[in-house]
Amino acid sequence: MKDHEKRLIALETQLAFQDDLLEQLNQQLILQNRDIHSLQEQVRVLGQRLVTLKENHQDEKQPDMADERPPHY
């Protein structure tokens, strides 16, 4: 086998490995993108729940510290 044939085979082999690696990276990127969208939705829902809890808590009457009995009574 001539030197240029060996080099060509080596380049084709390297290209095949790079194509495989590129496909694996692409699949991982797709999975991470799905995870990011899911996490963003969870953060949005939790933010809405926090706002709701704050609104509900503000509606409740807060006890006045002057009306509370000291702990030694």
Side-chain angles (χ1 to χ4, degrees):
M1 196 179 298
K2 295 183 181 180
D3 187 46
H4 69 279
E5 290 176 349
K6 289 180 184 177
R7 289 179 56 202
L8 182 60
I9 290 172
L11 287 172
E12 288 175 341
T13 303
Q14 186 178 9
L15 179 61
F17 281 115
Q18 287 179 351
D19 284 344
D20 184 56
L21 179 61
L22 185 60
E23 181 59 31
Q24 290 176 21
L25 291 172
N26 189 41
Q27 291 302 317
Q28 189 62 38
L29 186 61
I30 290 169
L31 293 174
Q32 287 179 350
N33 194 28
R34 288 180 190 161
D35 289 344
I36 288 171
H37 285 292
S38 174
L39 290 170
Q40 286 174 332
E41 178 63 18
Q42 290 176 24
V43 167
R44 186 188 64 75
V45 169
L46 288 173
Q48 288 176 343
R49 287 179 61 188
L50 182 61
V51 167
T52 302
L53 287 173
K54 283 182 180 180
E55 289 172 352
N56 291 341
H57 185 67
Q58 289 174 352
D59 293 342
E60 297 173 4
K61 182 182 177 195
Q62 298 295 323
D64 189 6
M65 293 301 283
D67 293 338
E68 290 189 18
R69 295 175 66 182
H72 60 276
Y73 279 109

